[in-house]
Amino acid sequence: MNLCTKYARALAAAFVACSFACAYAQGPDTKQAPPKKAASAREQRDAEKLYLAGAKALEQDDLKTAEEDFEHATLLVPGNEQYQAAYEIARQHRATALVEAADKARLLGHTDEARGDLIQAFHLDPTNPMVAQHMDEIARDAAPDREPRNPEAEAGGLIELAPAQARRSFHLRTSSSEVLRQVLTAYGITPTLDSSIKSETVRFDADDVDFNDAARMVKLVTNTFFVPLDPSRVLVAQDTKDNRTKFERLALETVYFPGLTSAEITDMSNVARNLFDAQQATISQGNSTLTVRAPAEKLAALNSTLAEMLDGRSEIQLDVRLYSVAKTRTLNVGVQLPQSWTIFNVPSTVNGIIANNQSLVQQIISSGLASAGDYAAIAAILVSSGAVNGSVLGQPFGTFGGGLTLTGVSVSGVTGNLALNASDSRSIDHITVSALDQEEATIRSGTRYPIVTSTYSNLAGSSLGVAGLSSAGVSSALAGLGIGSSALSSSQTIPQVQYQDLGLTLKVTPHVQKDRDVALKLDLKIVSLAGGTLNGNPILDNQEYSANITLKEGASAVVVSDMSKQQTKAVDGVPGLSELPGFQSTTNNQTENDVSELVIVATPRIVRDAHRQMAGQMFVLPVHP
């Protein structure tokens, strides 16, 4: 079962209830209807096809075709209630659509077209409630005017020509006047030629053209313009600025601009004055309207231009993702050799210890721990017992030499290092921004840092000889309450602070091209603190990036920036020895790497495509020498 069949059966099921309701409202039929002739099998098949075609046309809002198909199906099979109900519903819908079209035409000032739609709707469905509401309008338009019309008002209205609806061919080579006369007469229009038309021979060849095309071409060939006098007569004059000012009729039109600002309405007025030479253009800011008085041709071109301008601009949705990656890696590997040596004379050091601790030396000798001449043993007992602190003899040392030249050498310990410290941090921001075509969108991510630009202090008070004041700024009444000048005259420093944006500032300007590609203008700026100060103010570090790229709709642009990259390496070793091949293992190496990266992914998507056509309708406006 195809889609049309399903739709037709569903529509029929809905219409059956309406048909029974209508039959019940009409009451029982007292007269027995004559027996109807049964439809043949072929007629039933044709009726079903028409019914399905009508249902499809109704789905596509083609009410006229649907009504005709349902009516034909009803005529083929008169007794089918589904066909009859579908025909009635389609007829009512079409009558409602005609009433809505009449209302729209009346708002646009097309009175005759509105009256024609209402009359057609009345013939289709006289009982339609919407048609009944407009019956007074039909009667009012059809009734003759009881009061005579104002001749001046009629003279100020626009006159439309009523040429013959035919197509003609012309092959003429004669004077301008004769060409104009033959071409206009061929369509039932009587020309009245002005004396300004030049008498020169022109050639005019055109095949199978209607009046509009023929009039447009003959105007260009003869450099003339037409002024309608009535539906069948025109005044033809040479196309000059003076003649247009003298003969051309002006039309009055008021254009409503809802939602526009005063500046935008003023721009619309400038377009009417400067581009279309409509000098009589008045703006009503309170009503958001522009009243223009100009020839009908220029008004038509102005309306088409304003319609394209008011159509707005395309709208783009930008999906921006910010990835911030920070990595820190610290590696300390190697052996740290002694870097300081202490050389001392052993006998001198021992004698110094004994000379400074005579009482303890006597106790050691008297107790029998060491003999009286064994100074080395006595010094060792003093150092090991803790009686002497901070002596070089308390540390490991080596000796060389002998006697009074016995020399000791003390070195610091050896340290082996094997350490690793690594960190990895990531942050993600997802921002969705809507921007108009060729409008700049700004995205900021970061903080606002206060910077002191200046300071000022209040002045201390001084004694003044003014009645009622005991001191500067303090009255005698306040002084009696115990509020002295010292509380009010203390110097206070007040800073003036300016906030600076730190972090990321991304400016994107999209432009939708004719093939729906999106051109992006990217301006990236990263501001951070450099770490130093100048006159008490911090130093800022700026990084900027600008680019113009073109993307397909839905494609992504990736911008990668190294915000900071720092590497530190420290070497601890023995000068000369640690630089020799084979001895580098005796060197302690400490390396630190700090890397901070920023990745920006921008994806444009077209939400609204305002101008799908490459160019609007072309209008040929008169150009005067």
Side-chain angles (χ1 to χ4, degrees):
M1 183 182 295
N2 55 19
L3 180 62
C4 294
T5 305
K6 293 181 180 179
Y7 182 83
R9 292 188 177 180
L11 183 64
F15 288 164
V16 168
C18 179
S19 301
F20 284 134
C22 293
Y24 180 78
Q26 291 176 358
D29 191 3
T30 56
K31 296 181 180 180
Q32 185 176 2
K36 298 180 181 179
K37 181 180 178 181
S40 62
R42 180 177 181 181
E43 290 177 343
Q44 291 181 358
R45 289 194 302 269
D46 293 342
E48 184 177 359
K49 292 180 180 179
L50 288 171
Y51 180 72
L52 294 176
K56 186 175 181 181
L58 188 64
E59 184 181 3
Q60 298 176 355
D61 291 334
D62 190 358
L63 300 179
K64 184 177 180 180
T65 303
E67 180 190 359
E68 293 175 354
D69 292 339
F70 290 152
E71 183 180 8
H72 196 184
T74 304
L75 294 177
L76 290 176
V77 185
N80 193 308
E81 296 179 353
Q82 296 181 2
Y83 298 165
Q84 294 177 359
Y87 170 66
E88 291 295 333
I89 297 299
R91 185 167 57 87
Q92 293 176 8
H93 284 184
R94 187 184 174 197
T96 304
L98 287 171
V99 172
E100 294 176 353
D103 293 338
K104 184 177 180 181
R106 187 175 297 278
L107 290 175
L108 296 176
H110 304 157
T111 307
D112 295 338
E113 181 181 351
R115 182 172 178 272
D117 291 339
L118 289 176
I119 293 176
Q120 188 176 0
F122 176 75
H123 289 310
L124 284 175
D125 189 7
T127 61
N128 192 302
M130 295 185 64
V131 177
Q133 295 177 3
H134 293 77
M135 287 301 297
D136 54 344
E137 298 180 10
I138 300 176
R140 183 175 62 252
D141 294 338
D145 295 338
R146 297 183 179 180
E147 298 180 357
R149 295 181 179 179
N150 187 359
E152 296 181 0
E154 291 187 358
L158 293 178
I159 300 175
E160 296 183 359
L161 292 176
Q165 300 298 325
R167 306 183 72 87
R168 301 283 189 264
S169 298
F170 303 95
H171 299 281
L172 304 175
R173 182 179 177 84
T174 181
S175 63
S176 302
S177 303
E178 187 63 24
V179 170
L180 289 168
R181 186 175 291 105
Q182 292 190 26
V183 171
L184 294 176
T185 305
Y187 296 97
I189 303 299
T190 303
T192 301
L193 304 180
D194 185 66
S195 59
S196 61
I197 298 178
K198 298 180 180 180
S199 178
E200 56 183 6
T201 302
V202 297
R203 182 171 182 175
F204 183 71
D205 294 314
D207 292 324
D208 194 24
V209 292
D210 58 4
F211 175 76
N212 294 329
D213 294 337
R216 189 182 305 110
M217 289 187 290
V218 78
K219 288 179 185 178
L220 295 176
V221 170
T222 60
N223 191 26
T224 57
F225 70 98
F226 300 162
V227 179
L229 302 177
D230 56 40
S232 61
R233 294 187 307 119
V234 294
L235 172 65
V236 184
Q238 196 72 25
D239 192 358
T240 62
K241 187 175 182 179
D242 294 338
N243 285 344
R244 284 190 174 270
T245 305
K246 180 179 179 182
F247 298 114
E248 204 167 30
R249 295 175 179 268
L250 299 181
L252 182 66
E253 184 172 295
T254 300
V255 185
Y256 177 53
F257 299 110
L260 297 188
T261 63
S262 300
E264 292 173 340
I265 297 177
T266 303
D267 293 339
M268 295 296 181
S269 175
N270 294 333
V271 170
R273 291 191 181 97
N274 300 330
L275 297 183
F276 297 94
D277 198 21
Q279 300 301 325
Q280 300 183 23
T282 305
I283 300 175
S284 177
Q285 296 289 358
N287 299 325
S288 299
T289 58
L290 172 64
T291 302
V292 183
R293 189 175 180 86
E297 294 180 355
K298 293 184 177 181
L299 280 183
L302 175 62
N303 289 334
S304 178
T305 303
L306 294 181
E308 292 188 5
M309 295 177 65
L310 293 176
D311 191 22
R313 286 178 288 180
S314 300
E315 186 175 355
I316 298 93
Q317 177 178 316
L318 291 173
D319 290 337
V320 180
R321 290 178 171 84
L322 305 177
Y323 301 89
S324 178
V325 181
K327 297 180 180 180
T328 302
R329 179 182 176 87
T330 303
L331 182 64
N332 190 0
V333 178
V335 178
Q336 188 171 358
L337 297 176
Q339 298 181 359
S340 62
W341 304 69
T342 303
I343 301 176
F344 58 95
N345 185 265
V346 175
S348 300
T349 304
V350 171
N351 293 333
I353 294 174
I354 293 174
N356 295 329
N357 300 277
Q358 287 295 325
S359 60
L360 295 177
V361 171
Q362 295 298 329
Q363 293 178 9
I364 293 173
I365 294 173
S366 62
S367 62
L369 295 177
S371 60
D374 193 358
Y375 297 124
I378 296 173
I381 294 173
L382 291 175
V383 172
S384 61
S385 63
V388 178
N389 295 323
S391 176
V392 69
L393 299 179
Q395 300 177 0
F397 63 93
T399 61
F400 62 90
L404 295 177
T405 62
L406 182 63
T407 304
V409 178
S410 175
V411 297
S412 59
V414 179
T415 304
N417 296 318
L418 184 60
L420 173 63
N421 185 8
S423 64
D424 188 355
S425 62
R426 303 170 184 265
S427 61
I428 302 176
D429 290 336
H430 186 191
I431 304 172
T432 302
V433 181
S434 295
L436 292 178
D437 186 17
Q438 304 183 30
E439 285 287 339
E440 184 180 88
T442 303
I443 301 172
R444 288 189 174 92
S445 178
T447 59
R448 292 176 61 85
Y449 186 81
I451 298 177
V452 179
T453 58
S454 61
T455 59
Y456 68 92
S457 303
N458 59 335
L459 299 177
S462 59
S463 59
L464 297 175
V466 180
L469 294 178
S470 59
S471 62
V474 182
S475 64
S476 58
L478 293 177
L481 295 175
I483 301 177
S485 60
S486 61
L488 300 177
S489 62
S490 60
S491 178
Q492 296 180 357
T493 302
I494 301 176
Q496 296 291 323
V497 179
Q498 178 180 355
Y499 286 90
Q500 175 67 38
D501 292 330
L502 298 182
L504 169 71
T505 300
L506 177 62
K507 296 182 179 180
V508 184
T509 304
H511 175 56
V512 180
Q513 300 179 351
K514 64 180 181 180
D515 54 356
R516 292 181 62 86
D517 289 350
V518 181
L520 294 180
K521 179 182 179 183
L522 300 177
D523 290 326
L524 174 64
K525 184 177 181 181
I526 301 174
V527 182
S528 60
L529 296 176
T533 60
L534 180 62
N535 295 330
N537 292 326
I539 299 176
L540 301 180
D541 184 15
N542 294 331
Q543 300 179 17
E544 294 185 3
Y545 169 78
S546 298
N548 293 314
I549 56 177
T550 302
L551 303 172
K552 292 290 185 182
E553 182 185 3
S556 299
V558 180
V559 179
V560 181
S561 173
D562 290 334
M563 298 181 63
S564 65
K565 187 174 183 180
Q566 183 177 2
Q567 182 176 5
T568 304
K569 185 175 183 180
V571 178
D572 293 336
V574 179
L577 179 63
S578 299
E579 297 176 358
L580 295 176
F583 292 91
Q584 294 180 357
S585 59
T586 62
T587 302
N588 182 70
N589 295 324
Q590 183 175 358
T591 306
E592 182 178 356
N593 295 325
D594 294 333
V595 179
S596 179
E597 297 178 348
L598 177 67
V599 180
I600 302 175
V601 181
T603 306
R605 291 181 175 84
I606 300 177
V607 179
R608 177 176 178 268
D609 193 0
H611 300 281
R612 298 184 179 179
Q613 298 180 354
M614 297 177 56
Q617 184 181 1
M618 183 178 66
F619 290 88
V620 181
L621 297 178
V623 179
H624 307 295

